[in-house]
Amino acid sequence: MQGKKPTLLKGTRDFAAPQVFRRNYIFDTIRHIYQKYGFLPLETPVLEHLTTLTGKYGEEGDQLLFKILNSGDFLEGVDSHTKDYKTLLPQIAAKGLRYDLTVPLMRYVAMNKDKLIFPFRRYQIQPVWRADRPQKGRYREFYQCDIDMVGASSLLCEAEILVMIHEVLLQLGIKDFTIHMNHRDVLKSLATLGGATNQEGALCVTLDKLDKVGKDKVLEELKGKGFSPAALERLLFIFDLPATQVDRWPILTKQLGLTQKGMQDMQKILDYVHALGLEEPSITLDPTLARGLSYYTGTIFEVKMKHTNWGSLGGGGRYDGLTDIFGLTGVSGVGFSFGLDRLYSVLEALDLFPSSMGSTTQVLLANLDPASEKWTLKALTTLRTNDIRAEIYPAVVKLKKQLQYAHKRQIPFVAIIGEEEHAAGVITLKDMRTRTQQQYSLEQMLQELS
RNA sequence: GUGAUUGUAGCUCAGUUGGUUAGAGCGCUGGUUUGUGGUACCAGAGGUCGCGGGUUCGAGUCCCGUCUAUCACCCCA
């Protein structure tokens, strides 16, 4: 035994069969519903030009990008006196792993604007990578299930996505969720109220922690950031909003003004949601929600489980001008993304996975001796031709071992075709669960197994 | 990137105030004679005590560093 023990790269995981089956169950559910809403799949490369990726996620996002070292002698032509990594980086790395699926989509849309049919509806289920420090429910490699409508500014897009989120979650058996909704305009108004028009980011990031750290800490933090007592006074109403969105509405419209664009937009969206047949949507207006500030320009939403501190199940919003940087202007879009791993955790914690999942072998053919192997192989082929999942034990070992193997693999049937059986023209079929066995003809066995 | 905790057989862990050949349970392999699995019994394999330094006559046990995992912050799915 030589060599070091292999380990997994930080933040990555292997998925064994049971997990793969469960993950596929989620993928299939989402894919089916996405398609039902008229969205078509898109897949893009894992690697993109670093220039495509950088600058889209803010300073922090750039740091979380995995960069790929240039091939060959990557030091060739590099100024050896360069010590600043920001100037060195582009010289030694020109490629990177995608950080999300939205930016690759924008790149794709800009590149194919003449071929695409707008409004462009696409979904994309692929892994993304972030050099984040792993934590509970956070990995460096994880799957996003994106859905986007590009080239349509109607608020109907938002509404459709919200309804679809409901359908996916309910289909998976998740009931106790809330979609938090906010609007970039509301955040702006709050910043103005707080006398921090040019400090919107700082205000939002702090407000967003409300449900996590509580009112007092948020106020304290805002004080620390230089917000005046008078300004904070004007923002106090946010902290004592009623729980239901119906009750929140009048308070928010009063404080922010009826003509506030964000409020009007959200009202329209909710009207559409009702028109789409969702009587009691699990949607809450949450003026403290602040996500994706680096590119969302309109609505913002996020799905969370009620009464838990689990991370969000997904998030999205409207973005204007994301394609600008790729040379395509005036395009608005709305997108949303489910985090596969988050959904997985919830389904697991709530025991919502269907009990029977995956497919194990139905019948194991025992391998008794070289002579019997021949006719056993014949039976094996017949079984497979009849679409029965079958395998032969690939070595002549004691029957006891073969039965143990079947037991461990949870294979329900073991077929034994030894000399006795061959001479009598039968097959002994053992039912591992009842521990009984019976002799059948090949035909009868096929019936028994199908 | 910041802070905290952690690391002993495949897994879950013991391991006394630093002292001889590091243990248990589960699992694993083989056996309890001929073609029969969940139990029982018997036997066996498997550890450079994360890695690297240091203190000491002597370190799994103390100190420093490093890596890993976990948790929180930042940010986010």
Side-chain angles (χ1 to χ4, degrees):
Chain A
M1 289 286 279
Q2 294 217 331
K4 286 179 182 169
K5 279 186 191 173
T7 56
L8 280 173
L9 210 51
K10 189 199 286 287
T12 65
R13 300 151 296 159
D14 287 325
F15 300 110
Q19 294 162 296
V20 173
F21 286 133
R22 289 172 156 207
R23 289 165 65 87
N24 284 344
Y25 162 70
I26 300 175
F27 286 139
D28 293 345
T29 303
I30 291 176
R31 191 177 295 123
H32 180 252
I33 293 173
Y34 279 4
Q35 286 179 174
K36 197 165 74 178
Y37 280 73
F39 293 80
L40 292 175
L42 172 72
E43 292 190 19
T44 66
V46 161
L47 297 171
E48 294 275 357
H49 292 294
L50 211 45
T51 49
T52 300
L53 302 172
T54 46
K56 312 296 188 301
Y57 315 103
E59 180 96 4
E60 307 232 2
D62 287 353
Q63 292 200 320
L64 297 181
L65 284 169
F66 276 107
K67 292 100 181 168
I68 311 280
L69 218 45
N70 290 340
S71 312
D73 182 3
F74 56 85
L75 286 177
E76 201 180 328
V78 172
D79 177 3
S80 59
H81 298 295
T82 308
K83 280 185 182 162
D84 177 28
Y85 86 97
K86 279 184 185 169
T87 53
L88 179 64
L89 183 65
Q91 297 182 56
I92 60 170
K95 307 179 279 292
L97 295 176
R98 62 166 172 249
Y99 176 92
D100 70 0
L101 301 177
T102 307
V103 167
L105 169 66
M106 292 305 126
R107 192 221 78 221
Y108 175 80
V109 168
M111 280 178 67
N112 298 282
K113 60 188 174 207
D114 298 327
K115 284 183 237 163
L116 298 178
I117 301 161
F118 291 96
F120 180 51
R121 294 168 172 254
R122 74 91 237 215
Y123 72 88
Q124 187 171 358
I125 300 177
Q126 288 191 282
V128 301
W129 292 267
R130 295 183 190 176
D132 208 356
R133 201 174 273 204
Q135 219 178 111
K136 197 206 305 221
R138 298 177 97 168
Y139 306 94
R140 288 187 147 185
E141 176 184 60
F142 60 97
Y143 271 74
Q144 289 194 321
C145 311
D146 268 46
I147 184 138
D148 287 83
M149 193 139 19
V150 184
S153 49
S154 167
L155 297 167
L156 181 53
C157 305
E158 272 93 336
E160 280 208 84
I161 287 177
L162 289 172
V163 170
M164 196 183 55
I165 293 170
H166 279 76
E167 186 164 343
V168 168
L169 294 175
L170 293 174
Q171 177 84 277
L172 290 172
I174 299 173
K175 289 193 73 178
D176 235 11
F177 67 90
T178 306
I179 304 176
H180 294 249
M181 179 164 67
N182 198 7
H183 197 287
R184 202 57 198 268
D185 246 37
V186 170
L187 290 170
K188 263 184 214 141
S189 293
L190 289 179
T192 308
L193 270 180
T197 316
N198 50 2
Q199 251 199 89
E200 192 187 327
L203 176 71
C204 295
V205 166
T206 308
L207 281 183
D208 189 59
K209 296 179 193 166
L210 182 60
D211 61 336
K212 216 170 183 181
V213 300
K215 173 181 172 180
D216 295 337
K217 292 226 168 162
V218 167
L219 284 174
E220 197 178 309
E221 192 172 321
L222 287 175
K223 241 176 248 174
K225 285 186 175 177
F227 285 80
S228 72
L232 291 179
E233 187 71 27
R234 287 194 295 273
L235 291 174
L236 272 180
F237 74 96
I238 292 176
F239 301 107
D240 298 305
L241 285 173
T244 66
Q245 66 107 350
V246 183
D247 298 326
R248 286 179 174 208
W249 199 266
I251 297 175
L252 286 168
T253 46
K254 185 185 163 201
Q255 296 287 343
L256 301 173
L258 275 167
T259 57
Q260 218 269 352
K261 181 178 183 298
M263 294 300 289
Q264 287 183 338
D265 278 4
M266 289 194 284
Q267 181 63 67
K268 270 186 211 158
I269 291 168
L270 289 174
D271 288 345
Y272 271 132
V273 167
H274 282 110
L276 284 165
L278 200 56
E279 298 291 327
E280 291 181 34
S282 301
I283 301 173
T284 307
L285 296 190
D286 181 355
T288 66
L289 175 66
R291 275 304 121 97
L293 294 178
S294 55
Y295 57 68
Y296 289 140
T297 52
T299 43
I300 304 171
F301 23 83
E302 179 166 72
V303 183
K304 288 179 184 168
M305 291 301 287
K306 286 179 191 167
H307 325 300
T308 66
N309 57 351
W310 299 343
S312 70
L313 300 185
R318 176 172 288 278
Y319 41 82
D320 290 319
L322 250 185
T323 54
D324 288 8
I325 197 155
F326 298 122
L328 179 62
T329 54
V331 174
S332 180
V334 200
F336 178 82
S337 179
F338 274 116
L340 182 272
D341 303 277
R342 298 289 172 79
L343 288 172
Y344 188 101
S345 307
V346 171
L347 293 193
E348 191 169 54
L350 269 38
D351 200 21
L352 291 173
F353 282 111
S355 52
S356 64
M357 200 173 288
S359 58
T360 66
T361 298
Q362 287 167 275
V363 56
L364 172 76
L365 307 203
N367 196 342
L368 297 177
D369 54 78
S372 306
E373 195 178 71
K374 275 184 204 156
W375 47 74
T376 301
L377 284 176
K378 241 182 172 175
L380 177 65
T381 301
T382 306
L383 284 164
R384 287 177 177 162
T385 303
N386 283 274
D387 209 30
I388 289 166
R389 296 185 299 275
E391 61 181 287
I392 182 169
Y393 196 91
V396 177
V397 297
K398 289 182 181 172
L399 183 60
K400 178 176 178 163
K401 280 207 66 167
Q402 303 191 37
L403 288 168
Q404 281 176 347
Y405 170 81
H407 179 245
K408 282 188 220 162
R409 286 274 315 274
Q410 295 185 30
I411 296 172
F413 292 98
V414 175
I416 300 163
I417 316 171
E419 280 179 51
E420 299 168 23
E421 283 83 2
H422 185 243
V426 295
I427 294 168
T428 300
L429 187 65
K430 173 162 183 141
D431 185 327
M432 296 295 282
R433 294 159 302 187
T434 60
R435 304 172 72 83
T436 58
Q437 63 188 47
Q438 209 173 326
Q439 296 197 319
Y440 295 102
S441 69
L442 188 56
E443 296 273 310
Q444 289 171 320
M445 183 175 75
L446 284 172
Q447 288 224 318
E448 200 65 23
L449 291 172
S450 39

